[in-house]
Amino acid sequence: MQITLSPTRRDTPLTLSRTGDALTLNGEVLDFTPLPEGATLPREAIASDWFAGPVERVGGTLRLTLVLPHGANAPQETLFPAPLTLTGNGPVTLPPYELETPDAD
């Protein structure tokens, strides 16, 4: 599975995990197993605000673009993220939502 990330300022961070051709985004499961080779599912047909483009299957691999939410103080790796290639199942590590600031105690 290949995921391109589209950084967007949002108040809600994203948690993501993968199981086969299914993605769980903040608890919402979207299963793309039925998408046949060479097919494209347009963004408008996906019942989730986390998608920034269509989902397609090319060469047996799902390709999609997800919104990557970030806070007001996001690091460069979040603002300019590298694409993800997922080969296994489980939680997906995303770039940090925002920079951690030391406590002012």
Side-chain angles (χ1 to χ4, degrees):
M1 185 178 294
Q2 295 179 340
I3 301 176
T4 301
L5 299 170
S6 178
T8 304
R9 175 69 179 98
R10 287 196 181 177
D11 292 332
T12 305
L14 175 65
T15 58
L16 176 65
S17 67
R18 174 190 183 211
T19 304
D21 285 342
L23 291 174
T24 303
L25 302 105
N26 288 5
E28 176 185 13
V29 178
L30 294 143
D31 189 355
F32 299 103
T33 303
L35 190 66
E37 176 63 33
T40 298
L41 184 62
R43 160 65 199 102
E44 298 77 26
I46 305 168
S48 174
D49 291 336
W50 293 109
F51 287 79
V55 176
E56 55 189 1
R57 189 180 303 273
V58 178
T61 300
L62 282 175
R63 297 179 184 197
L64 54 107
T65 301
L66 292 177
V67 169
L68 177 64
H70 63 80
N73 193 24
Q76 290 296 304
E77 67 186 288
T78 302
L79 298 175
F80 303 98
L84 303 175
T85 299
L86 307 182
T87 56
N89 293 324
V92 176
T93 301
L94 296 171
Y97 179 75
E98 61 187 346
L99 290 171
E100 292 185 24
T101 55
D103 294 333
D105 288 339

